[in-house]
Amino acid sequence: MKYTIVSIDDSRNDKKADIRSAMHEHEEVLVESFNGADDEQMHYARQRWPGIEPVGWNLSRGELGIWYSQIACWQWAAKFGDLIVYEDDAIVNPEFDRVMRPYIHELPEDYDFFSLFVPDNQMQDFWYSVVYDAGGAPMQVIRSWDERYNYNVPGLKHVVRVYQGYSCVANMYSQKGAQKLLDRLSVKHMYSPADCFVYMEAHQGILDGYAHHPDEERPVVYDWNVPSIRIQEGYV
């Protein structure tokens, strides 16, 4: 597998070293990351991917940096092939290859993306799904025993349909899936934060997204007590 680490500075070099140690059997590729607080980088990003920012409301500098960093990764994957994208605060299981083996074995060949990380507070979302009306308001909760429940995949034990609603801490994109994300972005633009965009497209049935079953071993976790990198407040 090929992987990359989204990172804008050296403050998390220790965490990046741990990622590289866990991924020592795999090839790291360098993909450009964007710092939303750097006006020159934002100018370059807007020239490279014009006309995709939202009209009528603003994303923060930090959100824009995440967006353009993810887009660069999708573009790399669409051109060169499947790619695991880590944020630099991901905590990768030291036995990554062993943990991933059953997921890779079961993952459908036509997958668009696989979530290596599911946030702790999203685990319970596997057990029910929500039906929304045309305006986006919740209409009905479908429990896991209902025949309309759709996160389980027939014949699969370890891999399920994606059930979370956010987080780009660690995702694996297929070449096809990365191109679909770029195509959708060109049509719908940045209508949400980047991580929500990925999962909203999946929950609409546009992307074939998968994750590990919540009862299975986790390939990647996250320390919620680690301070976030603070990006200059305001908009660009």
Side-chain angles (χ1 to χ4, degrees):
M1 300 180 189
K2 292 183 172 60
Y3 74 95
T4 194
I5 303 173
V6 174
S7 184
I8 61 172
D9 60 29
D10 295 331
S11 63
R12 293 174 176 163
N13 278 350
D14 57 337
K15 294 184 177 298
K16 288 185 281 189
D18 289 341
I19 293 173
R20 292 177 177 122
S21 177
M23 298 295 293
H24 67 278
E25 295 289 343
H26 306 279
E27 179 184 351
E28 181 178 6
V29 299
L30 298 180
V31 181
E32 190 169 12
S33 297
F34 291 86
N35 183 346
D38 188 312
D39 290 340
E40 184 176 340
Q41 289 187 26
M42 287 296 96
H43 177 71
Y44 167 68
R46 285 176 167 135
Q47 288 188 317
R48 185 172 173 183
W49 298 289
I52 58 172
E53 291 187 20
V55 176
W57 64 285
N58 293 321
L59 290 166
S60 71
R61 289 178 177 270
E63 288 171 327
L64 282 171
I66 293 170
W67 252 116
Y68 285 117
S69 297
Q70 289 291 318
I71 293 169
C73 293
W74 301 343
Q75 190 169 70
W76 190 99
K79 183 175 182 180
F80 298 110
D82 298 12
L83 180 67
I84 296 175
V85 179
Y86 291 115
E87 293 186 345
D88 61 6
D89 50 1
I91 302 173
V92 182
N93 193 308
E95 298 186 47
F96 176 82
D97 290 335
R98 177 189 61 79
V99 174
M100 282 295 294
R101 193 170 297 119
Y103 304 132
I104 296 299
H105 177 72
E106 286 191 351
L107 191 62
E109 291 185 3
D110 63 348
Y111 86 101
D112 288 328
F113 73 94
F114 179 80
S115 293
L116 282 72
F117 169 74
V118 179
D120 298 350
N121 65 358
Q122 300 277 283
M123 289 289 191
Q124 73 276 4
D125 288 4
F126 172 78
W127 302 107
Y128 61 88
S129 55
V130 180
V131 177
Y132 297 90
D133 65 19
M139 294 172 55
Q140 184 180 13
V141 173
I142 298 175
R143 302 293 178 178
S144 58
W145 55 82
D146 192 301
E147 63 181 9
R148 295 168 296 170
Y149 175 84
N150 61 2
Y151 291 141
N152 282 317
V153 181
L156 303 187
K157 175 184 177 183
H158 307 284
V159 170
V160 297
R161 295 196 181 280
V162 70
Y163 50 94
Q164 70 190 86
Y166 72 94
S167 182
C168 285
V169 167
N171 281 331
M172 180 170 68
Y173 298 101
S174 71
Q175 186 169 27
K176 174 177 71 74
Q179 186 59 58
K180 285 172 72 172
L181 280 163
L182 294 171
D183 292 343
R184 293 298 293 172
L185 181 61
S186 69
V187 173
K188 302 191 73 173
H189 304 164
M190 298 176 178
Y191 67 80
S192 72
D195 56 343
C196 297
F197 179 93
V198 173
Y199 296 102
M200 291 169 75
E201 293 293 305
H203 292 313
Q204 293 177 69
I206 295 164
L207 294 177
D208 292 320
Y210 298 91
H212 62 81
H213 190 286
D215 291 340
E216 297 292 324
E217 193 169 5
R218 303 171 73 177
V220 176
V221 295
Y222 179 85
D223 184 355
W224 296 96
N225 295 314
V226 172
S228 298
I229 295 175
R230 294 189 62 82
I231 299 299
Q232 178 181 345
E233 296 294 334
Y235 302 91
V236 288

mmCIF file of all heavy atoms in Angstrom, residues 168-194:
data_model
loop_
_atom_site.group_PDB
_atom_site.id
_atom_site.type_symbol
_atom_site.label_atom_id
_atom_site.label_comp_id
_atom_site.label_asym_id
_atom_site.label_seq_id
_atom_site.Cartn_x
_atom_site.Cartn_y
_atom_site.Cartn_z
ATOM 1 N N CYS A 168 -11.405 12.772 8.846
ATOM 2 C CA CYS A 168 -10.438 12.359 7.821
ATOM 3 C C CYS A 168 -9.113 11.989 8.469
ATOM 4 O O CYS A 168 -8.052 12.116 7.852
ATOM 5 C CB CYS A 168 -10.228 13.473 6.798
ATOM 6 S SG CYS A 168 -11.590 13.666 5.636
ATOM 7 N N VAL A 169 -9.145 11.523 9.710
ATOM 8 C CA VAL A 169 -7.916 11.131 10.400
ATOM 9 C C VAL A 169 -7.178 10.061 9.612
ATOM 10 O O VAL A 169 -5.949 10.087 9.507
ATOM 11 C CB VAL A 169 -8.223 10.650 11.831
ATOM 12 C CG1 VAL A 169 -7.021 9.950 12.452
ATOM 13 C CG2 VAL A 169 -8.632 11.831 12.703
ATOM 14 N N ALA A 170 -7.928 9.112 9.026
ATOM 15 C CA ALA A 170 -7.286 8.049 8.248
ATOM 16 C C ALA A 170 -8.302 7.423 7.306
ATOM 17 O O ALA A 170 -9.228 6.744 7.748
ATOM 18 C CB ALA A 170 -6.700 6.985 9.166
ATOM 19 N N ASN A 171 -8.125 7.657 6.027
ATOM 20 C CA ASN A 171 -8.976 7.059 5.001
ATOM 21 C C ASN A 171 -8.116 6.471 3.893
ATOM 22 O O ASN A 171 -7.067 7.025 3.561
ATOM 23 C CB ASN A 171 -9.919 8.097 4.380
ATOM 24 C CG ASN A 171 -11.126 8.394 5.247
ATOM 25 O OD1 ASN A 171 -11.581 7.543 6.005
ATOM 26 N ND2 ASN A 171 -11.653 9.602 5.129
ATOM 27 N N MET A 172 -8.580 5.383 3.329
ATOM 28 C CA MET A 172 -7.938 4.797 2.154
ATOM 29 C C MET A 172 -8.855 5.015 0.954
ATOM 30 O O MET A 172 -10.006 4.579 0.963
ATOM 31 C CB MET A 172 -7.673 3.305 2.361
ATOM 32 C CG MET A 172 -7.013 2.637 1.160
ATOM 33 S SD MET A 172 -6.432 0.939 1.532
ATOM 34 C CE MET A 172 -7.997 0.089 1.771
ATOM 35 N N TYR A 173 -8.343 5.718 -0.056
ATOM 36 C CA TYR A 173 -9.128 6.034 -1.251
ATOM 37 C C TYR A 173 -8.666 5.160 -2.417
ATOM 38 O O TYR A 173 -7.464 5.001 -2.650
ATOM 39 C CB TYR A 173 -8.940 7.507 -1.628
ATOM 40 C CG TYR A 173 -9.410 8.463 -0.554
ATOM 41 C CD1 TYR A 173 -8.491 9.081 0.297
ATOM 42 C CD2 TYR A 173 -10.760 8.751 -0.386
ATOM 43 C CE1 TYR A 173 -8.916 9.961 1.286
ATOM 44 C CE2 TYR A 173 -11.191 9.618 0.604
ATOM 45 C CZ TYR A 173 -10.273 10.219 1.434
ATOM 46 O OH TYR A 173 -10.689 11.077 2.416
ATOM 47 N N SER A 174 -9.627 4.624 -3.144
ATOM 48 C CA SER A 174 -9.275 3.925 -4.373
ATOM 49 C C SER A 174 -9.069 4.955 -5.478
ATOM 50 O O SER A 174 -9.492 6.119 -5.365
ATOM 51 C CB SER A 174 -10.384 2.948 -4.780
ATOM 52 O OG SER A 174 -11.530 3.654 -5.247
ATOM 53 N N GLN A 175 -8.454 4.534 -6.549
ATOM 54 C CA GLN A 175 -8.246 5.445 -7.673
ATOM 55 C C GLN A 175 -9.593 5.925 -8.205
ATOM 56 O O GLN A 175 -9.790 7.112 -8.467
ATOM 57 C CB GLN A 175 -7.441 4.750 -8.765
ATOM 58 C CG GLN A 175 -7.037 5.654 -9.911
ATOM 59 C CD GLN A 175 -6.025 4.984 -10.832
ATOM 60 O OE1 GLN A 175 -5.961 3.766 -10.952
ATOM 61 N NE2 GLN A 175 -5.206 5.792 -11.494
ATOM 62 N N LYS A 176 -10.537 5.005 -8.325
ATOM 63 C CA LYS A 176 -11.879 5.344 -8.802
ATOM 64 C C LYS A 176 -12.579 6.284 -7.837
ATOM 65 O O LYS A 176 -13.221 7.259 -8.241
ATOM 66 C CB LYS A 176 -12.694 4.066 -8.981
ATOM 67 C CG LYS A 176 -14.164 4.274 -9.328
ATOM 68 C CD LYS A 176 -14.865 2.951 -9.549
ATOM 69 C CE LYS A 176 -15.066 2.172 -8.264
ATOM 70 N NZ LYS A 176 -16.146 2.739 -7.401
ATOM 71 N N GLY A 177 -12.485 5.980 -6.541
ATOM 72 C CA GLY A 177 -13.148 6.802 -5.547
ATOM 73 C C GLY A 177 -12.598 8.213 -5.498
ATOM 74 O O GLY A 177 -13.351 9.184 -5.343
ATOM 75 N N ALA A 178 -11.288 8.342 -5.615
ATOM 76 C CA ALA A 178 -10.675 9.666 -5.612
ATOM 77 C C ALA A 178 -11.165 10.501 -6.789
ATOM 78 O O ALA A 178 -11.464 11.690 -6.646
ATOM 79 C CB ALA A 178 -9.154 9.535 -5.648
ATOM 80 N N GLN A 179 -11.280 9.870 -7.947
ATOM 81 C CA GLN A 179 -11.779 10.606 -9.115
ATOM 82 C C GLN A 179 -13.238 10.994 -8.929
ATOM 83 O O GLN A 179 -13.649 12.100 -9.311
ATOM 84 C CB GLN A 179 -11.611 9.757 -10.379
ATOM 85 C CG GLN A 179 -11.978 10.497 -11.663
ATOM 86 C CD GLN A 179 -11.129 11.748 -11.861
ATOM 87 O OE1 GLN A 179 -9.899 11.671 -11.906
ATOM 88 N NE2 GLN A 179 -11.773 12.915 -11.958
ATOM 89 N N LYS A 180 -14.028 10.125 -8.323
ATOM 90 C CA LYS A 180 -15.426 10.454 -8.065
ATOM 91 C C LYS A 180 -15.536 11.646 -7.121
ATOM 92 O O LYS A 180 -16.395 12.519 -7.295
ATOM 93 C CB LYS A 180 -16.169 9.241 -7.497
ATOM 94 C CG LYS A 180 -16.480 8.175 -8.529
ATOM 95 C CD LYS A 180 -17.042 6.917 -7.900
ATOM 96 C CE LYS A 180 -18.444 7.093 -7.388
ATOM 97 N NZ LYS A 180 -19.041 5.792 -6.948
ATOM 98 N N LEU A 181 -14.688 11.689 -6.104
ATOM 99 C CA LEU A 181 -14.700 12.826 -5.191
ATOM 100 C C LEU A 181 -14.355 14.122 -5.921
ATOM 101 O O LEU A 181 -15.001 15.158 -5.706
ATOM 102 C CB LEU A 181 -13.714 12.584 -4.053
ATOM 103 C CG LEU A 181 -14.212 11.674 -2.931
ATOM 104 C CD1 LEU A 181 -13.047 11.163 -2.097
ATOM 105 C CD2 LEU A 181 -15.223 12.415 -2.050
ATOM 106 N N LEU A 182 -13.361 14.086 -6.781
ATOM 107 C CA LEU A 182 -13.006 15.275 -7.556
ATOM 108 C C LEU A 182 -14.146 15.691 -8.480
ATOM 109 O O LEU A 182 -14.444 16.886 -8.621
ATOM 110 C CB LEU A 182 -11.743 15.013 -8.369
ATOM 111 C CG LEU A 182 -10.454 14.802 -7.562
ATOM 112 C CD1 LEU A 182 -9.333 14.341 -8.486
ATOM 113 C CD2 LEU A 182 -10.045 16.067 -6.821
ATOM 114 N N ASP A 183 -14.805 14.705 -9.095
ATOM 115 C CA ASP A 183 -15.921 15.009 -9.987
ATOM 116 C C ASP A 183 -17.078 15.632 -9.219
ATOM 117 O O ASP A 183 -17.699 16.599 -9.689
ATOM 118 C CB ASP A 183 -16.393 13.737 -10.695
ATOM 119 C CG ASP A 183 -15.370 13.193 -11.689
ATOM 120 O OD1 ASP A 183 -14.450 13.948 -12.073
ATOM 121 O OD2 ASP A 183 -15.484 12.009 -12.068
ATOM 122 N N ARG A 184 -17.378 15.085 -8.049
ATOM 123 C CA ARG A 184 -18.468 15.616 -7.236
ATOM 124 C C ARG A 184 -18.135 17.030 -6.759
ATOM 125 O O ARG A 184 -18.996 17.914 -6.707
ATOM 126 C CB ARG A 184 -18.734 14.715 -6.037
ATOM 127 C CG ARG A 184 -19.281 13.356 -6.400
ATOM 128 C CD ARG A 184 -20.622 13.468 -7.083
ATOM 129 N NE ARG A 184 -21.657 13.966 -6.166
ATOM 130 C CZ ARG A 184 -22.892 14.303 -6.559
ATOM 131 N NH1 ARG A 184 -23.229 14.233 -7.827
ATOM 132 N NH2 ARG A 184 -23.766 14.727 -5.668
ATOM 133 N N LEU A 185 -16.887 17.254 -6.399
ATOM 134 C CA LEU A 185 -16.469 18.569 -5.937
ATOM 135 C C LEU A 185 -16.631 19.613 -7.032
ATOM 136 O O LEU A 185 -17.040 20.749 -6.769
ATOM 137 C CB LEU A 185 -15.017 18.511 -5.468
ATOM 138 C CG LEU A 185 -14.417 19.806 -4.925
ATOM 139 C CD1 LEU A 185 -15.186 20.299 -3.702
ATOM 140 C CD2 LEU A 185 -12.949 19.594 -4.578
ATOM 141 N N SER A 186 -16.331 19.231 -8.261
ATOM 142 C CA SER A 186 -16.445 20.181 -9.363
ATOM 143 C C SER A 186 -17.892 20.588 -9.607
ATOM 144 O O SER A 186 -18.162 21.681 -10.120
ATOM 145 C CB SER A 186 -15.843 19.583 -10.644
ATOM 146 O OG SER A 186 -16.645 18.505 -11.119
ATOM 147 N N VAL A 187 -18.835 19.729 -9.218
ATOM 148 C CA VAL A 187 -20.259 20.012 -9.409
ATOM 149 C C VAL A 187 -20.868 20.692 -8.185
ATOM 150 O O VAL A 187 -21.583 21.692 -8.284
ATOM 151 C CB VAL A 187 -21.026 18.716 -9.722
ATOM 152 C CG1 VAL A 187 -22.531 18.968 -9.763
ATOM 153 C CG2 VAL A 187 -20.559 18.121 -11.045
ATOM 154 N N LYS A 188 -20.571 20.155 -7.002
ATOM 155 C CA LYS A 188 -21.243 20.607 -5.787
ATOM 156 C C LYS A 188 -20.440 21.615 -4.976
ATOM 157 O O LYS A 188 -20.981 22.278 -4.093
ATOM 158 C CB LYS A 188 -21.575 19.399 -4.909
ATOM 159 C CG LYS A 188 -22.464 18.368 -5.612
ATOM 160 C CD LYS A 188 -23.003 17.336 -4.661
ATOM 161 C CE LYS A 188 -24.080 17.918 -3.761
ATOM 162 N NZ LYS A 188 -24.733 16.875 -2.944
ATOM 163 N N HIS A 189 -19.139 21.719 -5.247
ATOM 164 C CA HIS A 189 -18.249 22.651 -4.563
ATOM 165 C C HIS A 189 -18.166 22.310 -3.072
ATOM 166 O O HIS A 189 -18.648 21.269 -2.629
ATOM 167 C CB HIS A 189 -18.688 24.098 -4.805
ATOM 168 C CG HIS A 189 -18.766 24.448 -6.258
ATOM 169 N ND1 HIS A 189 -19.426 25.554 -6.728
ATOM 170 C CD2 HIS A 189 -18.275 23.817 -7.364
ATOM 171 C CE1 HIS A 189 -19.339 25.622 -8.044
ATOM 172 N NE2 HIS A 189 -18.645 24.562 -8.442
ATOM 173 N N MET A 190 -17.534 23.159 -2.308
ATOM 174 C CA MET A 190 -17.310 22.910 -0.880
ATOM 175 C C MET A 190 -18.570 23.265 -0.096
ATOM 176 O O MET A 190 -18.691 24.365 0.445
ATOM 177 C CB MET A 190 -16.132 23.740 -0.378
ATOM 178 C CG MET A 190 -14.794 23.428 -1.024
ATOM 179 S SD MET A 190 -13.539 24.585 -0.403
ATOM 180 C CE MET A 190 -12.065 23.985 -1.247
ATOM 181 N N TYR A 191 -19.510 22.357 -0.027
ATOM 182 C CA TYR A 191 -20.764 22.675 0.656
ATOM 183 C C TYR A 191 -20.726 22.324 2.144
ATOM 184 O O TYR A 191 -21.712 22.528 2.862
ATOM 185 C CB TYR A 191 -21.948 21.977 -0.026
ATOM 186 C CG TYR A 191 -21.995 20.475 0.060
ATOM 187 C CD1 TYR A 191 -22.451 19.831 1.203
ATOM 188 C CD2 TYR A 191 -21.622 19.686 -1.032
ATOM 189 C CE1 TYR A 191 -22.514 18.453 1.276
ATOM 190 C CE2 TYR A 191 -21.686 18.304 -0.969
ATOM 191 C CZ TYR A 191 -22.136 17.696 0.180
ATOM 192 O OH TYR A 191 -22.206 16.318 0.243
ATOM 193 N N SER A 192 -19.598 21.809 2.630
ATOM 194 C CA SER A 192 -19.443 21.435 4.041
ATOM 195 C C SER A 192 -17.945 21.331 4.318
ATOM 196 O O SER A 192 -17.134 21.431 3.395
ATOM 197 C CB SER A 192 -20.113 20.087 4.304
ATOM 198 O OG SER A 192 -19.358 19.030 3.726
ATOM 199 N N PRO A 193 -17.535 21.102 5.579
ATOM 200 C CA PRO A 193 -16.129 20.748 5.812
ATOM 201 C C PRO A 193 -15.750 19.508 5.006
ATOM 202 O O PRO A 193 -16.610 18.680 4.656
ATOM 203 C CB PRO A 193 -16.093 20.488 7.320
ATOM 204 C CG PRO A 193 -17.205 21.318 7.870
ATOM 205 C CD PRO A 193 -18.291 21.258 6.836
ATOM 206 N N ALA A 194 -14.472 19.341 4.724
ATOM 207 C CA ALA A 194 -14.014 18.282 3.816
ATOM 208 C C ALA A 194 -14.395 16.893 4.301
ATOM 209 O O ALA A 194 -14.823 16.042 3.506
ATOM 210 C CB ALA A 194 -12.503 18.381 3.632
#
